[in-house]
Amino acid sequence: MKFTLGWLREHLDTDATLDQVVDALTRVGLEVEGVHNPGDTLAPFRVARILSAERHPQADKLQVLSVHAGDGPLQVVCGAPNARAGLIGVFGAPGTHVPGAGITLKVAAIRGVESNGMMCSARELEIGEGHDGIIELPADAPVGESYADYAGLTDPVIDVSITPNRQDCMGVRGIARDLAAVGLGTLKPLHVPTIPGDGPGPDVRTDAPGCPAFFAQGVAGVVNGESPDWMRRRLTAIGQKPISALVDITNYVMIDLGRPLHVYDRARLSGGLVARPASAGEQVVALNGKTYTLSEGMTVIADDVTVHDIGGIMGGEHSGVSHDTRDVVIECAFFDPDAIARTGQALMLTSDARQRFERGVDPAFLDDGLAIATRLVLDLCGGTASTVTRAGEAPLGTRTYTYDPALAETLGGLAIDPARQRSILESLGFTVGDDWQVTPPTWRRDVDGPADIVEEVIRIEGIDKVAPVPLPRTPGIATPTATPEQKLERRVRRAAAARGLDEAVTWSFISTAQAAPFGGGDWTLANPISEELKVMRPSLLPGILSATERNLRRGAGTVRLFEIGRRYLAAGEHPTLGLVLAGDRSTRGWRTGKAAAFDAYDAKAEALALLAAAGAPVDNLQVMGEAGAAWHPGQSGTLRLGPKTILARFGILHPGLLKAFDLDGAVAGVEFYLDALPAKRGSGFMRPAYAPPTLQPVRRDFAFLVPPTLIADSLIRAIRGADKAAIIAARVFDVFERDGEKSVAVEVVLQPGDKSFTDADLKAIADKVVAAAAKQGASLRG
């Protein structure tokens, strides 16, 4: 929600500065996302007169201008078709940044003629869409003066984030009401005109549950030109594109008072207007130029022939007003917030109107909103107004609650004098009876009980006044305070130790050379204790590899180290487990023969075991690709949950990396990213009931001829998915290669349910397995 400080003062009588307004908005719970003064951007641009305009000697579409901007004539090359002698426009001198073009002006030669700046268009200054020519100002515009000061473009723009419950603050007046309540000024009375009307009102009705009230008024004989400068300036300042007086009026009232409206060109309507449920498959071309197919029950505004409006969200293109419009129908309706939200979500369509209607506009403001809009149309476009047609009735839904002023202290933690509480509530529009029967205003549908009333009192009085009071400590044994993340690390640490791994604790700082194979360090210490401890580690492996090298050098035959710690990336700290396997996996012996080294499969086994201990869905993981530049190509991979979420990298580390750490032979490793684990659903510790199957499983073996490049994991996943009800497991138990052919043997475990498999059942499942394997390029071996 954006508005300017000057716009706010139209509703709030105050001498408060911009900083005081911003501070007060934050204190009452309206978060200020930003403040921008367009005058700061446009300050270098000045009002200038074109003294002469001559044809460019080298280009037919360019002119050489002599421009006076207060400091004497300057030569400027210009391609605008409306540039001419005597025109007064806006000039940017060399060194000026042009916001709409994203360039900084400098003295340059254009087709051989020197140019000293630019005469600017509205789009180049981001104050409008006009780009066919340069800005033309009135003849009495003061040459040499700042254009921002002359045009009144120095009004600061305030951007406020409105929470979904504060529908009343989706208009400038609602924000002014809150600031008046907090003591920043006085809320000005809202002038609602009386328009008697002449002749019958428009033919409108409502047959839609999503539109309980549909009010409309006609105006005949309008002239739809440009809106006045003050309106266009305010709309442009907040990012709304001025279109025409009729359209700008509806946008202005929506932002000013939080009341969306719509204007129809009466000549484009066939018969009257009706708010009704859409039929399945009906289509409407909206004002954004897109065609939307409607579902049954969506609220639409239609005439006797076609749909013209997605009710409460966006108007239709066919019935929109234009500069040729002479007779209009002004619609002011109430739409059900839930229906608006469902329709907007289904169509994936958002708009300023939807944002207000789905929060809930004031149901008691239909007549007043329509009268204000009609008055603006009459004042700016002329014409004659009809009487008002009222179809249906808005659900006021007034509620009254019994309130105890003591709740401010017992529930809100702040003792406030009852008279002060009454003053606060009445300034916000609440009705407070002598017996403290409190009725919220119609524009506050979010207030639903005494607790919400306390919230209103406390936020206006000042949440910062609530004293911080420590909670009393319960006597006895303290409640465990470990976080879920800490519990996860403990569980994984115990699992790693139980598998015979030794825990290492290494420095969080490493050298630049050690960080380089892992992408370099995003964080470098400005004053390290040594060059070897200069970079915050991007991986845990460098520290563990250094520890591995020290252990092997001291005579260790086997090294199985792990560490749980943090790696430091640009996005912050990431909890990680690093693991290294080096030396002999098994020692030499008269039965085993030579000593065996660790391989990538050992690393994969450790990774899967630790992932299972952490609660990861191991059965759903995919083995994909090589792990990266620090890993051995062809002997490494990643374990992923889906194609993008990497839970772990495993495999043999790259020989070049090992050489940098003075390590010989194959060294296996794992890097397990604890923060990549999916969040668990549920918080209980109870395991699901164990229900063993009543029938024994059935095992079947299949041998497939497969392409040499086929990944076994892809084949296993395809087989397991062939019949998810019957197949509970599948594993490779043999691989055979000869003469360029490769055979993979797979054991498939089938689990019958309430009855044993028949031969026909087993054949059907086998056929599914063979078909699934065939999709991976595998064929059953004869």
Side-chain angles (χ1 to χ4, degrees):
M1 172 68 189
K2 293 182 179 180
F3 57 92
T4 68
L5 182 61
W7 197 340
L8 177 69
R9 286 176 172 156
E10 290 292 318
H11 295 278
L12 185 68
D13 187 1
T14 181
D15 295 326
T17 64
L18 176 64
D19 290 341
Q20 290 173 325
V21 169
V22 170
D23 179 65
L25 287 170
T26 303
R27 284 190 287 113
V28 299
L30 300 175
E31 181 184 356
V32 177
E33 292 194 331
V35 178
H36 168 64
N37 190 340
D40 295 340
T41 304
L42 301 178
F45 295 92
R46 290 180 293 168
V47 177
R49 182 190 299 275
I50 299 177
L51 302 177
S52 65
E54 303 292 339
R55 180 179 173 182
H56 192 290
Q58 302 297 330
D60 293 338
K61 294 185 178 181
L62 297 178
Q63 295 188 79
V64 180
L65 311 180
S66 176
V67 176
H68 173 52
D71 299 327
L74 291 171
Q75 181 172 279
V76 176
V77 177
C78 180
N82 63 330
R84 62 187 182 276
L87 181 145
I88 296 181
V90 182
F91 173 71
T96 301
H97 180 73
V98 183
I103 60 173
T104 299
L105 300 175
K106 60 183 180 179
V107 178
I110 301 177
R111 294 288 186 93
V113 176
E114 183 179 279
S115 182
N116 300 274
M118 174 189 285
M119 295 296 291
C120 302
S121 68
R123 185 188 296 179
E124 287 162 345
L125 299 187
E126 293 186 335
I127 60 172
E129 292 299 315
H131 194 59
D132 295 334
I134 57 178
I135 296 171
E136 296 192 37
L137 301 178
D140 59 351
V143 173
E145 183 177 325
S146 166
Y147 173 67
D149 293 336
Y150 165 75
L153 298 175
T154 56
D155 195 3
V157 178
I158 305 171
D159 187 2
V160 178
S161 176
I162 307 297
T163 53
N165 64 313
R166 292 304 308 277
Q167 68 277 357
D168 59 306
C169 288
M170 290 300 288
V172 179
R173 184 165 183 81
I175 294 173
R177 184 186 296 111
D178 266 16
L179 294 177
V182 83
L184 206 66
T186 304
L187 186 67
K188 296 180 180 180
L190 180 64
H191 174 67
V192 180
T194 299
I195 302 174
D198 183 19
D203 177 14
V204 299
R205 70 180 193 277
T206 177
D207 297 333
C211 179
F214 187 1
F215 293 8
Q217 189 166 18
V219 180
V222 299
V223 177
N224 186 24
E226 282 192 347
S227 52
D229 287 343
W230 63 267
M231 182 178 288
R232 284 190 285 112
R233 281 199 302 268
R234 287 180 180 172
L235 293 175
T236 300
I238 65 171
Q240 291 279 349
K241 175 185 175 182
I243 298 174
S244 67
L246 291 172
V247 176
D248 293 351
I249 287 169
T250 61
N251 288 333
Y252 183 82
V253 174
M254 176 178 64
I255 302 296
D256 189 49
L257 303 172
R259 160 38 69 182
L261 303 134
H262 189 62
V263 179
Y264 295 91
D265 187 334
R266 198 161 195 166
R268 298 186 178 188
L269 301 178
S270 299
L273 288 173
V274 56
R276 62 168 175 80
S279 300
E282 279 191 298
Q283 293 186 328
V284 58
V285 180
L287 285 172
N288 60 6
K290 296 181 180 180
T291 300
Y292 293 91
T293 301
L294 309 175
S295 300
E296 185 175 3
M298 292 180 175
T299 301
V300 299
I301 309 297
D303 60 15
D304 296 345
V305 176
T306 188
V307 174
H308 287 287
D309 190 355
I310 305 171
I313 299 180
M314 188 171 289
E317 187 178 72
H318 298 309
S319 59
V321 295
S322 67
H323 288 284
D324 297 327
T325 298
R326 293 295 174 262
D327 301 326
V328 298
V329 175
I330 307 173
E331 166 228 301
C332 186
F334 181 87
F335 295 94
D336 177 69
D338 294 338
I340 290 292
R342 288 193 297 269
T343 299
Q345 291 167 3
L347 298 177
M348 293 187 292
L349 176 60
T350 187
S351 66
D352 290 328
R354 175 191 165 185
Q355 291 177 0
R356 287 160 176 80
F357 277 123
E358 70 180 355
R359 283 173 163 87
V361 300
D362 183 3
F365 196 68
L366 271 74
D367 273 316
D368 291 350
L370 183 59
I372 292 170
T374 303
R375 182 75 269 166
L376 284 170
V377 170
L378 293 174
D379 289 345
L380 302 182
C381 303
T384 303
S386 72
T387 56
V388 176
T389 303
R390 299 174 180 86
E393 185 175 346
L396 297 181
T398 55
R399 308 168 307 280
T400 300
Y401 304 102
T402 300
Y403 177 68
D404 181 0
L407 287 173
E409 181 176 9
T410 59
L411 191 60
L414 187 61
I416 304 174
D417 183 73
R420 170 61 178 157
Q421 294 191 50
R422 181 185 293 272
S423 174
I424 290 173
L425 292 172
E426 289 177 345
S427 67
L428 291 173
F430 290 71
T431 301
V432 184
D434 294 336
D435 55 353
W436 284 98
Q437 296 294 310
V438 178
T439 302
T442 53
W443 58 80
R444 292 301 302 273
R445 65 189 292 264
D446 60 301
V447 177
D448 187 19
D452 289 335
I453 298 174
V454 170
E455 179 185 352
E456 293 302 300
V457 171
I458 296 296
R459 74 179 181 87
I460 297 300
E461 183 66 12
I463 296 177
D464 56 325
K465 295 181 181 179
V466 179
V469 178
L471 296 174
R473 180 172 179 176
T474 305
I477 300 174
T479 304
T481 58
T483 65
E485 291 78 11
Q486 291 171 326
K487 293 178 181 179
L488 172 63
E489 290 184 12
R490 292 175 185 176
R491 188 162 63 249
V492 174
R493 180 177 285 110
R494 287 195 297 268
R499 292 185 61 81
L501 299 168
D502 299 315
E503 184 172 10
V505 179
T506 66
W507 292 103
S508 297
F509 313 108
I510 60 177
S511 67
T512 303
Q514 290 176 333
F518 299 91
D522 292 308
W523 301 97
T524 302
L525 301 184
N527 188 26
I529 58 177
S530 75
E531 284 297 313
E532 298 303 312
L533 300 173
K534 184 177 182 178
V535 178
M536 300 291 285
R537 62 187 180 193
S539 168
L540 269 66
L541 292 179
I544 308 176
L545 288 172
S546 295
T548 298
E549 187 271 334
R550 288 192 297 271
N551 280 273
L552 291 175
R553 193 172 63 239
R554 285 168 174 77
T558 301
V559 176
R560 298 165 60 91
L561 293 179
F562 81 95
E563 180 178 8
I564 295 178
R566 301 290 187 270
R567 57 195 178 98
Y568 302 89
L569 306 178
E573 301 181 13
H574 296 269
T576 307
L577 180 144
L579 181 155
V580 167
L581 306 172
D584 298 334
R585 177 170 58 86
S586 60
T587 57
R588 61 182 179 174
W590 66 273
R591 296 184 63 188
T592 58
K594 294 182 180 180
F598 291 101
D599 58 23
Y601 295 104
D602 296 313
K604 180 182 178 183
E606 297 296 337
L608 289 173
L610 296 177
L611 282 164
V618 176
D619 293 339
N620 296 331
L621 297 183
Q622 296 175 263
V623 180
M624 297 179 67
E626 296 168 357
W631 303 81
H632 195 301
Q635 298 185 44
S636 61
T638 59
L639 292 169
R640 307 189 185 210
L641 191 61
K644 294 184 180 180
T645 304
I646 300 176
L647 298 187
R649 303 177 192 272
F650 69 90
I652 301 298
L653 293 164
H654 197 284
L657 173 67
L658 298 178
K659 185 177 180 180
F661 286 90
D662 292 330
L663 290 168
D664 296 325
V667 176
V670 173
E671 199 163 52
F672 170 17
Y673 309 125
L674 300 176
D675 57 345
L677 287 170
K680 282 193 172 183
R681 297 179 180 176
S683 56
F685 292 94
M686 184 178 294
R687 294 179 179 178
Y690 176 61
T694 57
L695 299 174
Q696 291 183 336
V698 178
R699 288 175 170 80
R700 288 288 184 270
D701 294 343
F702 297 83
F704 296 101
L705 291 175
V706 302
T709 58
L710 178 66
I711 299 174
D713 182 70
S714 301
L715 178 62
I716 293 299
R717 293 175 69 86
I719 290 173
R720 290 186 59 182
D723 190 331
K724 294 182 180 179
I727 300 174
I728 61 171
R731 69 180 184 89
V732 175
F733 69 86
D734 186 39
V735 177
F736 176 75
E737 295 185 59
R738 185 178 64 183
D739 298 333
E741 292 186 329
K742 185 175 182 180
S743 171
V744 175
V746 179
E747 180 190 63
V748 179
V749 182
L750 312 176
Q751 179 60 60
D754 54 353
K755 63 179 181 178
S756 299
F757 291 124
T758 64
D759 289 341
D761 294 335
L762 294 174
K763 184 179 184 306
I765 296 172
D767 291 342
K768 292 180 181 178
V769 169
V770 173
K775 292 182 179 179
Q776 300 296 317
S779 60
L780 195 64
R781 195 176 75 192

